[in-house]
Amino acid sequence: MQAEPPWMQGERAARALRHELGLGIAPVDIWEVLRRRDVYVALHDFGEAGGDGLYLWRGSEAGGVPLIVVNSAKRPSRQRFTAAHELGHHELHRFEAADVLIADEEVGATDGDEREVAANAFAAYLMVPTEDLRESVRAFGGSPSPVGLVGLMRRYGLSYQALAYRLRNTDLITQKTLDRLLADGEGQIDRLMRSQGFAEDAIFPAPVGVPELLSLGAMTLFKQHVITETRLAELLGMTVERALTTVRDAGMDRSEEPDYDAEAVRELLE
Amino acid sequence: MEEATGVLVGRRIREERERLGKKLEDLAGAIGVSGSYLSRMERGERGLDSLVLRRIAAELKVSMDRFFVPTSYESVHARSGEGSVAAMQQMIEWGRRVQDDLDFVLREGRGHAG
């Protein structure tokens, strides 16, 4: 029996996840999916020339801390696809004791490292289920124009190019139509988006900064006098002054000093 | 309890050292202890010294917390796009720090629940 090709593995995992979360075939907010999947997300500006993102897993049999890092300097649509791609690694590859893998791939690429192909197929199906895309294309009378494709950007939250390749990879358009869409869209996408009145970052807005659990947890530990203000600032990734303001704004400041040395008591108890 | 912690920390130091492909003698030299001292520490046969631990953490460029977390494996999948290898390494280091911080908050949070 022939082994399942990697793209099929990716698509199957995406179908399974959609089923498990009761998502049907509707477009999804990837950030919401990650939250429901208990995968932590951290966005950080690594510059436009930086990488797209990465998936880190560290754990034991008892569980682990999955983290997806996304470069917030990239376009929002690209950030979303990267997040979905990295979730693919979480669903498919987290139990593989891999060394550090750095993959360099193009949008729409379907060859190369098998794990990358699988993660791309996972992301493509999760973000744009074939069944839903087929319905969308039918609504265009079978041949989408650049204007129609921009409409799909709004529906799925992905880039023009990613959607054009997705249409081709699902055999919903011919290679000739793909080439035409890419050529006709050249330099026109931003204008078409404006004329349809939407901005990429307004749909499915991304979470900000470090995972919420980290900031809330750090503030709670500070309030309980477990960590110092310096450590708090370090965990929140900001200056001490700003960290103290953040804590105050969140209503998590230390209302009163403890009348005993909490650290000494803890050590005694241990 | 003390012995189990020592064994865990020792194993974690060895894992982090090997992850970077550093020889035991080189790490020992860099932190100013003998090879046999570090070797016994990695086997959990020596008491833990916070100063030595701090130096090891600095040398291996990891947070000290990391030595107290049982890690059987780690995987990193990076999507570089236009990013250079150096840029990706920087991103990975940043991610590892966030992960260390998450580990810390989760562990301390459990210890101080309620």
Side-chain angles (χ1 to χ4, degrees), chain A residues 65-78:
Chain A
V65 179
L67 174 70
I68 288 175
V69 176
V70 175
N71 185 354
S72 60
K74 302 287 180 178
R75 287 185 79 133
S77 55
R78 192 163 173 131

Side-chain angles (χ1 to χ4, degrees), chain A:
Chain A
M1 202 179 85
Q2 216 173 7
E4 194 179 35
W7 70 265
M8 208 183 272
Q9 289 170 23
E11 198 168 306
R12 189 163 46 81
R15 280 178 204 273
L17 181 62
R18 275 186 163 271
H19 181 74
E20 198 178 323
L21 298 180
L23 297 170
I25 54 162
V28 292
D29 176 351
I30 185 63
W31 311 113
E32 173 69 9
V33 172
L34 291 170
R35 196 187 58 73
R36 290 183 61 190
R37 205 57 179 160
D38 293 323
V39 175
Y40 302 111
V41 185
L43 276 91
H44 186 73
D45 186 347
F46 290 96
E48 280 182 39
D52 282 308
L54 53 94
Y55 169 69
L56 292 143
W57 162 263
R58 184 196 296 167
S60 66
E61 285 72 15
V65 179
L67 174 70
I68 288 175
V69 176
V70 175
N71 185 354
S72 60
K74 302 287 180 178
R75 287 185 79 133
S77 55
R78 192 163 173 131
Q79 292 176 34
R80 287 188 280 268
F81 189 83
T82 297
H85 171 99
E86 303 303 346
L87 177 62
H89 284 307
H90 175 71
E91 298 296 329
L92 292 155
H93 310 126
R94 71 178 177 277
F95 293 118
E96 289 176 15
D99 288 326
V100 177
L101 296 173
I102 298 179
D104 173 15
E105 13 126 20
E106 295 300 317
V107 172
T110 52
D111 55 359
D113 183 282
E114 290 197 349
R115 276 174 293 224
E116 298 308 315
V117 173
N120 272 345
F122 174 91
Y125 188 86
L126 182 68
M127 302 289 282
V128 191
T130 319
E131 299 82 353
D132 193 69
L133 186 63
R134 190 175 294 128
E135 284 306 310
S136 301
V137 171
R138 193 170 294 156
F140 296 134
S143 184
S145 62
V147 173
L149 205 46
V150 170
L152 293 184
M153 287 173 70
R154 186 180 212 158
R155 179 168 178 79
Y156 299 110
L158 289 186
S159 72
Y160 185 94
Q161 285 81 3
L163 285 164
Y165 282 110
R166 180 77 180 125
L167 284 166
R168 177 67 197 122
N169 289 339
T170 48
D171 267 336
L172 290 169
I173 58 171
T174 61
Q175 182 63 42
K176 202 173 149 193
T177 309
L178 170 68
D179 294 341
R180 180 178 53 78
L181 280 171
L182 292 175
D184 291 352
E186 190 78 44
Q188 299 296 316
I189 302 163
D190 287 336
R191 187 184 57 77
L192 289 172
M193 280 169 65
R194 273 198 304 278
S195 72
Q196 292 193 25
F198 87 95
E200 261 188 60
D201 54 357
I203 42 169
F204 310 127
V208 178
V210 295
E212 198 181 14
L213 173 92
L214 180 51
S215 46
L216 273 179
M219 288 195 276
T220 308
L221 291 173
F222 176 73
K223 189 180 165 72
Q224 293 173 336
H225 295 264
V226 179
I227 57 171
T228 64
E229 55 187 42
T230 314
R231 180 73 174 126
L232 172 76
E234 199 178 283
L235 291 170
L236 295 181
M238 48 181 77
T239 62
V240 171
E241 204 173 27
R242 189 137 169 258
L244 290 175
T245 310
T246 305
V247 160
R248 235 184 342 265
D249 291 348
M252 300 278 278
D253 57 339
R254 296 171 171 175
S255 46
E256 56 189 56
E257 289 297 312
D259 54 2
Y260 58 86
D261 184 348
E263 185 61 25
V265 171
R266 191 157 65 91
E267 272 179 25
L268 271 175
L269 289 172
E270 280 173 2

